[in-house]
Coordinates of all heavy atoms in Angstrom, one line a residue:
Chain B
N280 N -69.8 99.1 67.4 CA -71.2 99.5 67.2 C -72.0 98.4 66.6 O -73.2 98.2 67.0 CB -71.3 100.8 66.4 CG -70.7 102.0 67.1 OD1 -70.5 101.9 68.4 ND2 -70.4 103.0 66.4
L281 N -71.5 97.7 65.6 CA -72.2 96.6 65.0 C -72.4 95.5 66.0 O -73.5 94.9 66.1 CB -71.4 96.1 63.7 CG -71.4 97.1 62.5 CD1 -70.4 96.5 61.5 CD2 -72.7 97.3 61.9
K282 N -71.2 95.1 66.6 CA -71.3 93.8 67.4 C -72.2 94.0 68.6 O -72.9 93.0 69.0 CB -69.8 93.5 67.9 CG -69.7 92.2 68.6 CD -68.3 91.6 68.5 CE -68.2 90.2 69.1 NZ -68.2 90.2 70.5
L283 N -72.3 95.2 69.2 CA -73.2 95.4 70.3 C -74.6 95.9 69.8 O -75.4 96.2 70.6 CB -72.6 96.3 71.3 CG -71.3 95.8 72.0 CD1 -70.7 96.9 72.8 CD2 -71.6 94.6 72.8
A284 N -74.8 95.9 68.5 CA -76.0 96.4 67.9 C -76.4 97.8 68.5 O -77.5 98.1 68.8 CB -77.2 95.4 68.1
S285 N -75.4 98.7 68.6 CA -75.6 100.0 69.2 C -76.3 101.0 68.3 O -76.9 101.9 68.7 CB -74.2 100.5 69.6 OG -73.6 99.7 70.5
G286 N -76.1 100.8 67.0 CA -76.6 101.7 66.0 C -75.6 102.1 65.0 O -74.4 101.6 65.0
F287 N -75.9 103.0 64.1 CA -75.1 103.4 63.0 C -74.7 104.9 63.1 O -75.5 105.7 63.1 CB -75.8 103.2 61.6 CG -76.2 101.8 61.4 CD1 -77.6 101.4 61.6 CD2 -75.3 100.8 60.9 CE1 -78.0 100.1 61.3 CE2 -75.8 99.5 60.7 CZ -77.1 99.2 60.9
C288 N -73.4 105.2 63.2 CA -72.9 106.5 63.2 C -73.0 107.1 61.8 O -72.5 106.5 60.9 CB -71.5 106.5 63.7 SG -70.7 108.2 63.8
P289 N -73.6 108.3 61.7 CA -73.8 108.9 60.4 C -72.5 109.6 59.9 O -72.4 110.8 59.8 CB -74.9 109.9 60.6 CG -74.8 110.3 62.0 CD -74.2 109.1 62.8
V290 N -71.5 108.8 59.6 CA -70.1 109.4 59.3 C -70.1 110.3 58.1 O -69.4 111.3 58.2 CB -69.1 108.2 59.2 CG1 -67.7 108.7 58.9 CG2 -69.1 107.3 60.4
A291 N -70.7 109.9 57.0 CA -70.6 110.7 55.8 C -71.3 112.1 56.1 O -70.7 113.1 55.7 CB -71.3 110.0 54.7
K292 N -72.4 112.1 56.8 CA -73.0 113.4 57.2 C -72.1 114.2 58.1 O -72.0 115.4 57.9 CB -74.3 113.1 58.0 CG -75.5 113.0 57.2 CD -76.7 113.1 58.2 CE -78.0 113.0 57.4 NZ -79.2 113.0 58.4
L293 N -71.5 113.6 59.1 CA -70.5 114.3 60.0 C -69.4 114.9 59.2 O -69.0 116.1 59.3 CB -70.0 113.4 61.0 CG -70.9 113.0 62.2 CD1 -70.5 111.7 62.9 CD2 -71.1 114.2 63.2
A294 N -68.8 114.1 58.3 CA -67.7 114.6 57.5 C -68.1 115.7 56.6 O -67.4 116.7 56.4 CB -67.1 113.4 56.7
A295 N -69.3 115.6 56.0 CA -69.8 116.6 55.1 C -70.0 117.9 55.9 O -69.8 119.0 55.3 CB -71.1 116.2 54.4
A296 N -70.4 117.8 57.1 CA -70.6 119.0 58.0 C -69.3 119.6 58.4 O -69.2 120.7 59.0 CB -71.5 118.7 59.2
G297 N -68.2 118.9 58.2 CA -66.8 119.4 58.6 C -66.4 118.9 60.0 O -65.4 119.4 60.5
V298 N -67.1 117.9 60.5 CA -66.6 117.4 61.8 C -65.4 116.5 61.6 O -65.4 115.7 60.6 CB -67.8 116.6 62.5 CG1 -67.3 115.9 63.7 CG2 -69.0 117.5 62.8
N299 N -64.4 116.6 62.4 CA -63.3 115.7 62.3 C -63.6 114.3 62.9 O -63.9 114.2 64.1 CB -62.1 116.3 63.1 CG -60.9 115.4 63.1 OD1 -60.4 115.0 62.0 ND2 -60.3 115.0 64.2
V300 N -63.7 113.3 62.0 CA -64.0 111.9 62.5 C -62.8 111.1 62.5 O -62.1 111.0 61.4 CB -65.1 111.3 61.5 CG1 -65.5 109.9 62.1 CG2 -66.3 112.2 61.5
A301 N -62.4 110.5 63.6 CA -61.3 109.6 63.7 C -61.8 108.2 64.0 O -63.1 108.0 64.2 CB -60.4 110.0 64.8

Side-chain angles (χ1 to χ4, degrees):
Chain B
N280 292 343
L281 292 172
K282 187 155 187 281
L283 297 173
S285 303
F287 300 102
C288 177
V290 181
K292 268 193 181 181
L293 285 163
V298 175
N299 181 51
V300 182

